[in-house]
Amino acid sequence: MGLLDVFRASRKKAGSASLAKERLQILVAHDRAFRNRPSYLPKLQQEILAVIRKYVEVDMDAVSVNYEQDETQEILELNIVLPDSGGRG
Amino acid sequence: MARIIVITSGKGGVGKTTTAAAMAMGLAQRGHRTAVIDFDVGLRNLDLIMGCERRVVYDFVNVINGEANLNQALIRDKRCDSLYVLPASQTRDKEALTQEGVGKVLEELGKGYDYIVCDSPAGIEHGATMAMYFADDAVVVTNPEVSSVRDSDRMLGILASKSRRAETGEEPIKEHLLLTRYSPQRVERGEMLSVQDVQEILSLNLIGVIPESPAVLNASNAGIPVVLDIESSAGKAYNDMVSRYLGEDLPMRFVEAERKGIFSRFFGG
């Protein structure tokens, strides 16, 4: 690689625009996924947690609610982590 | 019934008012009866850009409150007979724009005009949502810069969910992307997001690219919409935007950096 090539290569890569594009693509994808979620999700998560805690002692973060959407279907995923040694009763 | 076009962006200072003035003047010059409305209650500026600030007597809020009728408030442009301006109020009460009131004014205007251009305030507050609620078409004005692109994407979400068309289940608002303050030289150096980059991120129909140009500031200094400065690159690009909106298929201009020959480098051509 000659001196001229080094100069050219560094010129091509030097710009910050590609960094901007990369950051934006991630951010916009995240924003859009969040935007399409139903607004009842946080409340749903809270209430499910309250019901479970009536019977089983679990941490506040034991319930996770995930929502995904593709062309044909919507998936509501509930994940409840129960403690190893069972509950109160 | 008139077609309602909202000029929106989310972020401030990207060229919404300049674009609204250009779109309205461009449509009117092509013979369409056009009204342009300033929705920026409390911070009106469209009158300044249009050069009719000293002729404002009544405003949008006066009409909504029944203190004046539409014909008293509309200012006829001195350069183009088919263009009218409805200025915003300087009142600080932003809630003065009620959905019912805005709807009534647009409906009445719609009977006598072909196009109504709504100049939205920045942000996602009341004034901005009112400007887009009744829209048929939207021009999302974006600078090739991270915060502007992100805010534009936010606006797309709001356009898709909080509009009359979304609520009544009609065909959604037709969205167009307008890139402003574009500098092909900086894009070539890799310092600025390119047209393709922004389009890829937002996946929107591109209606125009307006190059960074001193003509824009000159035009607003003088109160003459830059679209009338047909010698300037920005003026030409805005004219192309209007033609494309009306269905013409034109190639994008001013998106490639100018190649300066040795001769013009030496003599500053």
Side-chain angles (χ1 to χ4, degrees), chain A residues 15-17 21 27 31-32 35, chain B residues 150 153 190 192 197 200 202:
Chain A
S16 52
K21 186 183 179 185
L27 190 62
D31 281 355
R32 285 184 183 174
R35 190 191 296 158
Chain B
R150 185 199 200 174
D153 188 64
M192 185 183 264
D197 289 340
E200 219 176 286
L202 295 178

Side-chain angles (χ1 to χ4, degrees), chain B residues 31-237:
Chain B
H32 303 287
R33 279 182 62 85
T34 307
V36 56
I37 307 178
D38 190 348
F39 275 76
D40 203 348
V41 170
L43 294 166
R44 78 165 168 236
N45 275 318
L46 179 69
D47 51 340
L48 261 178
I49 301 298
M50 296 295 298
C52 62
E53 70 276 8
R54 291 170 63 185
R55 295 164 62 207
V56 176
V57 183
Y58 295 109
D59 58 54
F60 195 10
V61 171
N62 290 141
V63 178
I64 288 177
N65 292 343
E67 294 147 7
N69 66 39
L70 252 179
N71 289 332
Q72 289 173 300
L74 284 168
I75 305 167
R76 183 193 199 148
D77 191 86
K78 284 193 167 160
R79 295 149 298 207
C80 187
D81 282 349
S82 39
L83 179 59
Y84 290 79
V85 181
L86 183 55
S89 154
Q90 285 290 53
T91 165
R92 269 182 284 168
D93 178 19
K94 290 193 185 261
E95 304 303 312
L97 292 184
T98 60
Q99 192 173 90
E100 195 197 351
V102 173
K104 263 190 193 158
V105 171
L106 289 178
E107 197 188 325
E108 198 184 333
L109 263 179
K111 290 174 193 156
Y113 290 83
D114 302 319
Y115 292 100
I116 301 170
V117 179
C118 302
D119 181 23
S120 168
I124 50 176
E125 303 296 317
H126 187 71
T129 48
M130 278 302 102
M132 66 174 71
Y133 185 78
F134 296 95
D136 300 305
D137 300 306
V139 176
V140 182
V141 184
T142 308
N143 289 168
E145 174 271 326
V146 283
S147 51
S148 174
V149 174
R150 185 199 200 174
D151 288 356
S152 291
D153 188 64
R154 280 275 276 146
M155 290 329 265
L156 293 177
I158 296 171
L159 282 166
S161 60
K162 289 183 181 158
S163 65
R164 184 183 57 81
R165 281 174 174 264
E167 282 173 13
T168 57
E170 280 174 75
E171 201 182 312
I173 296 174
K174 218 181 191 177
E175 300 154 341
H176 305 274
L177 171 67
L178 180 77
L179 262 184
T180 53
R181 309 199 67 164
Y182 194 71
S183 167
Q185 290 81 13
R186 303 199 70 188
V187 171
E188 193 169 74
R189 289 201 296 266
E191 297 169 2
M192 185 183 264
L193 290 165
S194 69
V195 180
Q196 292 80 13
D197 289 340
V198 179
Q199 256 190 300
E200 219 176 286
I201 294 162
L202 295 178
S203 42
L204 268 186
N205 166 44
L206 185 69
I207 196 172
V209 179
I210 313 298
E212 174 84 65
S213 159
V216 176
L217 183 59
N218 285 338
S220 59
N221 284 344
I224 302 165
V226 69
V227 75
L228 294 176
D229 183 359
I230 49 170
E231 298 300 317
S232 70
S233 56
K236 287 175 189 167

